[in-house]
Amino acid sequence: MNISRIVLRHVAMPLKSPFVTSFGTTTDKEFLLVEAYDEQGLVGYGETTSMTGPYYNEETLKSNHHILRDFLIPLVLHKTIQHPDECMELFHPIKRNNMAKAALEGAIWDLYAKQQNVSLSRAINGEKSRIPVGVSIGIQPDITAMLKQVEQFVAQGYQRMKVKIKPGADIDVMAAIRREFGDIPLMADANSAYTLADIDHLKQLDEFNLMMIEQPLGHDDIIDHATLQREMTTPICLDESIHTVDDARKALDLGSCRIINIKVGRVGGLSHSRAIHDYCHDRGIPVWCGGMLESGVGRAHNIAITSLPGFTLPGDTSGSDRYFDQDIIEPAVTVQDGFIEIPTTPGIGYNLNHKRLDAVTLFSETYK
């Protein structure tokens, strides 16, 4: 394929309600939508998953814009690319900045799938026709509010509840959920809110029979997590610490975790996601797909990657109505009986609602 034109849109979509984690509160989802066009006018879509500030990782919306505009787009514009996997090598000289890379690579993957007249899932060798999904619940003002949230999502059929925790909003919250809802599939996500000094406190989570606790310690740590995992029966899942296959290998060899969360943006795109999946699948390590409050475009990419066979645990790819009154795709992503059907039409399988997209676009730039 020859990339003849690329458009970047700065999009801001209000969330239905604030999303609270240990590192702050999000009220609007801002991202860059990447549109990659070929010479025949076909277009592929990708989106950045960074936050506006460097709180999840070092990337921000503004840094993504800089890296895309000044470094990544020039590497692919008017270049002949036979297959999206080539982006791994093309982008390799640019250190980190994985969310910027993933957005552009995702647009190229979508364009490639449309050119091949296959679904994105089929293009990356996905096997499933539908995927089980869970939901991520932010920190609530009090336990009563948390129980209402869990009740709502259990009623909607979500197959796993992920609850954000932090010091002061953890043990009592999980205990209340267990008392109220029994042995539902339940996990905790700490977003690096603890240290090894909290080891005795964290060990109290073992009594709740959790599926896992996600990234309890430092965002770049694999050493202390190994110490903590030896002391806990609850499986540790690593998120922020894993960017490459080598990171996964080191963490698993050290015993730092028993599960890995693969976020397409965090690891640099679909090709890298598939490589980490393949490595973990060969070692018998379960993986699942995490979310970053994506719009329907990023959500579609998550659905596609989750179609690979090693994604055996429900991910965070909830329906569009979980976060937005109106998404930028049509039809919206919907959950039926705890599952999302994987689109079979070419590319990401959803159309852009251009009227809605224009309404939430703050500015756009064209590179040609």
Side-chain angles (χ1 to χ4, degrees):
M1 77 185 84
N2 187 284
I3 310 298
S4 64
R5 176 165 55 105
I6 291 175
V7 176
L8 294 184
R9 290 176 179 257
H10 181 178
V11 178
M13 296 172 61
L15 298 179
K16 292 171 71 173
S17 59
F19 191 78
V20 183
T21 69
S22 62
F23 46 69
T25 300
T26 302
T27 57
D28 297 273
K29 174 60 180 179
E30 293 189 55
F31 61 95
L32 297 176
L33 183 72
V34 181
E35 305 173 5
Y37 293 81
D38 69 8
E39 293 170 320
Q40 285 71 47
L42 273 179
V43 56
Y45 298 99
E47 76 173 69
T48 61
T49 57
S50 61
M51 302 176 70
T52 54
Y55 306 120
Y56 172 79
N57 65 3
E58 72 280 3
E59 292 185 74
T60 69
L61 185 72
K62 288 185 177 179
S63 73
N64 284 173
H65 184 215
H66 163 52
I67 295 298
L68 281 162
R69 178 192 64 205
D70 296 329
F71 295 96
L72 297 176
I73 289 175
L75 291 175
V76 301
L77 194 60
H78 303 301
K79 302 293 195 306
T80 299
I81 297 173
Q82 300 299 328
H83 192 278
D85 282 342
E86 294 174 25
C87 290
M88 291 193 291
E89 188 64 29
L90 285 171
F91 296 166
H92 181 71
I94 310 301
K95 301 299 184 286
R96 292 290 185 135
N97 294 286
N98 284 345
M99 291 177 171
K101 293 176 181 178
L104 181 53
E105 185 238 40
I108 291 171
W109 263 110
D110 183 29
L111 177 60
Y112 171 80
K114 288 170 179 172
Q115 289 178 336
Q116 301 300 311
N117 200 35
V118 298
S119 68
L120 182 57
S121 169
R122 178 65 62 86
I124 63 171
N125 298 322
E127 299 178 359
K128 303 172 189 173
S129 61
R130 64 177 187 166
I131 58 170
V133 292
V135 69
S136 180
I137 305 174
I139 295 168
Q140 301 298 306
D142 52 48
I143 289 177
T144 299
M146 176 61 77
L147 294 178
K148 287 181 179 178
Q149 287 279 297
V150 175
E151 181 180 34
Q152 171 188 339
F153 293 122
V154 167
Q156 291 177 15
Y158 283 99
Q159 298 194 33
R160 181 269 288 148
M161 302 292 132
K162 180 171 88 170
V163 174
K164 298 285 187 176
I165 63 171
K166 67 178 181 179
D170 46 24
I171 306 301
D172 290 346
V173 173
M174 306 310 284
I177 294 171
R178 277 287 179 243
R179 284 195 303 270
E180 186 73 17
F181 298 99
D183 198 28
I184 61 170
L186 179 64
M187 62 172 284
D189 183 7
N191 288 117
S192 307
Y194 301 86
T195 72
L196 273 185
D198 301 305
I199 191 167
D200 289 334
H201 181 76
L202 289 169
K203 286 168 66 175
Q204 295 179 65
L205 292 170
D206 283 340
E207 67 181 277
F208 302 123
N209 189 33
L210 302 179
M211 297 174 69
M212 68 192 87
I213 176 172
E214 186 179 0
Q215 199 76 33
L217 307 180
H219 73 97
D220 56 354
D221 171 74
I222 58 173
I223 302 299
D224 287 351
H225 278 102
T227 299
L228 179 61
Q229 183 66 93
R230 287 194 294 270
E231 295 292 323
M232 295 189 71
T233 57
T234 303
I236 289 175
C237 169
L238 288 184
D239 173 0
E240 290 96 325
S241 296
I242 307 300
H243 303 92
T244 66
V245 170
D246 263 356
D247 289 341
R249 175 183 60 80
K250 292 169 185 176
L252 294 173
D253 286 351
L254 286 170
S256 307
C257 64
R258 299 173 190 161
I259 299 169
I260 287 178
N261 167 350
I262 298 177
K263 287 179 178 169
V264 176
R266 190 192 74 237
V267 305
L270 291 168
S271 296
H272 285 290
S273 296
R274 186 174 59 186
I276 295 171
H277 158 275
D278 292 350
Y279 178 78
C280 291
H281 194 43
D282 288 344
R283 290 190 61 162
I285 300 298
V287 300
W288 57 281
C289 182
M292 293 291 290
L293 309 179
E294 290 92 346
S295 82
V297 171
R299 206 164 293 270
H301 286 270
N302 291 347
I303 291 169
I305 197 67
T306 307
S307 69
L308 294 173
F311 283 86
T312 56
L313 299 172
D316 286 343
T317 310
S318 48
S320 294
D321 63 355
R322 166 70 179 97
Y323 298 113
F324 308 111
D325 286 319
Q326 185 178 6
D327 209 336
I328 59 171
I329 59 166
E330 50 188 14
V333 176
T334 57
V335 177
Q336 297 291 333
D337 300 322
F339 289 89
I340 292 175
E341 297 292 327
I342 297 175
T344 57
T345 51
I348 60 173
Y350 299 90
N351 297 315
L352 270 288
N353 180 333
H354 291 284
K355 182 177 179 181
R356 174 60 175 165
L357 178 58
D358 288 342
V360 294
T361 296
L362 301 184
F363 70 82
S364 64
E365 299 173 344
T366 300
Y367 304 86
K368 57 184 179 179

